[in-house]
Amino acid sequence: MHGPEAAANPYGLYEKLRAEHGAVAPVRVNGDLPAWLVLGYRELLDVTRNPTRFSRDSRNWRFLRDGQVGPDNPLLPLVTWVPMCSFVDGSEHRRLRSAVTDSMKRFDRHGIRRHVTRFAGQLIDEFAPTGRADLVGQFAEHLPMLVMTKALGMTESYGPQLVEAARDMVKGSETAIASNEYIVQTLRDLVARKQASPGHDFASWLVAHDSGLGDDELVEHLRLVLIAAYSTTANLIANTLRMVLTDSRFRGNLAGGQMTLPDALEQVLWDEPPFTAVYGRYATGDTELAGQQIKAGDLLILGLAAGNLDPEIRPDLDVPVHGNRSHLAFSGGPHECPGQDIGRAIADTGIDTLLARLPDLRLAAEEKELRHRTSLLSRELVELPVAFTPVGPDTGAAPGQPVASVVPGRSVPANGAPAAAERVPAAVASASAPGAAAPAPGPGSEASPNGLPADVRAAPGRRRRPSLWRTLVVWWRGY
């Protein structure tokens, strides 16, 4: 599951393993440790729906228990047991998960969408006048984190640095552990602030929930929500935009009215889920799965991407799956992602805003030139270069009023004062240096997620004949 072959073509590796071993294949993970990769759709449902046989508690993994997972193993941030709902089962899982789901229910969905529109507009404003952009580095990777840091009750200045730390941690680099420590400390500071001065935000709701989460539980659940929302949504936005720009059948169906934007997102969740694999489940006793003899303490990796492409349930991958949400992009069973609808809202509203603002968006490279980066959990686009007709910024501000920047290299508040420096590990700080992918922190406030500005309106003097994309957006949204 690591090395050149897995990095170059994980989907090809999955199919090779399926052909050789069937629905469950023996593999090796970082540290040359044996594990099982679950490739079959039905087998994945079996594993995720049976926590008594396949526990989420990583303390059951015999190699972790015996100290064979070294301190520098990039798997460590993913498998080290922490007190959060993703690492427990049964009644304790229900107690902890209820704090997350109850707090998520308090989000104003319309407010979240206005919030996405605002940040998407600010991001687009940074590159709209140039006529060119990288939609991964300048849009997809920043929008979810900007939205979630605000929703969690953090200032916007945290967003750019947390993008770098989260990306570094998820891809399992040499500095993944340091990046994870930076994220944890940032959230620990947030918990302390919200305990002293609660607000109308997700962190405050978690603090006040009647499940009585302790400080460590609060930090770990904030980390879970932040990283899951960032990783899945950034990848979903990038993959959907790539398909819209490169697949003529996909774009034709979307433009022809046969596929709404939510339908398009579901198609991508089937074909290219944000997480290709998830670590993991741990056998609580000796058992059998798809003819393989699983021993107590064995690690099972959920091959979500492989399960979605299982020929037993999708014999013809060209057949569209409109309206079908039975994919495994968000896992399944009691540990299915509780924030998937928020991720969908960020993705479809962000893409909607982008296509409306830049209706003639087109790929600025050959499709074969697009490169991917494979990590422990996902396969991500490195960049998505595009070109379009340059347009002026659409700020919604009064003429002459300065607008705060939220994009790398432009982190200056509206009042012209420099943003405050944040405490970051060396790996993240170096990645945020001039010319790198991430910025110094930008401006922000701790306003309520529901106290959001109105949708960005088109600036005077920029009216033009509605495009096909604009017509689609109006039809989809109903106005």
Side-chain angles (χ1 to χ4, degrees), residues 132-413:
R132 304 186 74 85
D134 167 22
L135 293 183
V136 174
Q138 293 178 271
F139 189 76
E141 287 191 338
H142 289 274
L143 181 60
M145 189 64 81
L146 289 168
V147 174
M148 291 308 299
T149 52
K150 175 66 79 174
L152 264 61
M154 305 167 72
T155 61
E156 294 170 21
S157 62
Y158 284 93
Q161 300 290 4
L162 285 172
V163 166
E164 289 306 316
R167 182 168 56 184
D168 187 59
M169 190 197 81
V170 170
K171 72 182 182 182
S173 73
E174 294 179 354
T175 54
I177 294 174
S179 293
N180 179 62
E181 290 172 350
Y182 165 68
I183 293 171
V184 169
Q185 185 57 52
T186 299
L187 296 175
R188 197 171 296 282
D189 293 344
L190 175 64
V191 167
R193 290 200 304 274
K194 295 305 176 181
Q195 288 172 331
S197 180
H200 194 72
D201 52 65
F202 184 80
S204 298
W205 298 331
L206 273 187
V207 168
H209 194 269
D210 58 13
S211 61
L213 271 62
D215 286 0
D216 288 343
E217 292 173 335
L218 288 166
V219 168
E220 293 303 335
H221 285 89
L222 288 170
R223 173 180 173 271
L224 171 66
V225 170
L226 186 70
I227 298 303
Y230 159 72
S231 301
T232 58
T233 310
N235 219 356
L236 176 58
I237 293 172
N239 287 341
T240 302
L241 287 171
R242 182 198 63 79
M243 189 170 286
V244 167
L245 293 169
T246 61
D247 191 324
S248 60
R249 297 170 302 169
F250 185 94
R251 190 163 189 169
N253 286 339
L254 190 59
Q258 301 174 27
M259 181 185 292
T260 66
L261 187 51
D263 285 338
L265 290 171
E266 297 306 320
Q267 183 71 52
V268 172
L269 287 168
W270 272 102
D271 295 340
E272 292 186 277
F275 283 163
T276 54
V278 169
Y279 294 72
R281 296 296 189 275
Y282 309 91
T284 58
D286 293 351
T287 187
E288 182 270 337
L289 184 67
Q292 301 284 12
Q293 300 303 310
I294 313 295
K295 299 295 184 181
D298 279 0
L299 163 66
L300 291 89
I301 303 164
L302 307 183
L304 304 183
N308 280 351
L309 303 178
D310 188 345
E312 292 293 322
I313 63 158
R314 291 184 68 192
D316 185 353
L317 297 179
D318 292 328
V319 174
V321 287
H322 297 179
N324 188 338
R325 287 192 173 189
S326 59
H327 53 72
L328 297 169
F330 299 106
S331 191
H335 289 280
E336 184 175 2
C337 176
Q340 55 186 276
D341 288 338
I342 293 175
R344 287 185 175 98
I346 295 173
D348 70 46
T349 304
I351 294 172
D352 174 11
T353 303
L354 179 69
L355 296 180
R357 287 283 304 278
L358 306 174
D360 63 344
L361 202 64
R362 59 194 181 276
L363 193 64
E366 295 293 330
E367 182 179 357
K368 63 183 179 181
E369 296 175 355
L370 298 180
R371 295 179 296 113
H372 288 82
R373 173 178 53 240
T374 300
S375 68
L376 294 171
L377 303 178
S378 62
R379 180 174 182 262
E380 307 159 357
L381 271 175
V382 174
E383 60 183 359
L384 187 62
V386 295
F388 47 87
T389 301
V391 298
D394 189 4
T395 65
Q401 178 180 345
V403 179
S405 171
V406 295
V407 185
R410 299 290 299 280
S411 184
V412 181

Side-chain angles (χ1 to χ4, degrees), residues 60-97:
N60 287 302
W61 188 18
R62 53 192 172 97
F63 294 114
L64 184 63
R65 188 174 59 235
D66 297 343
Q68 297 186 51
V69 182
D72 58 346
N73 191 313
L75 285 177
L76 207 58
L78 302 177
V79 301
T80 299
W81 189 91
V82 289
M84 67 180 181
C85 61
S86 293
F87 281 95
V88 294
D89 300 300
S91 60
E92 184 66 358
H93 171 257
R94 290 189 291 272
R95 179 183 76 87
L96 296 174
R97 186 179 171 96

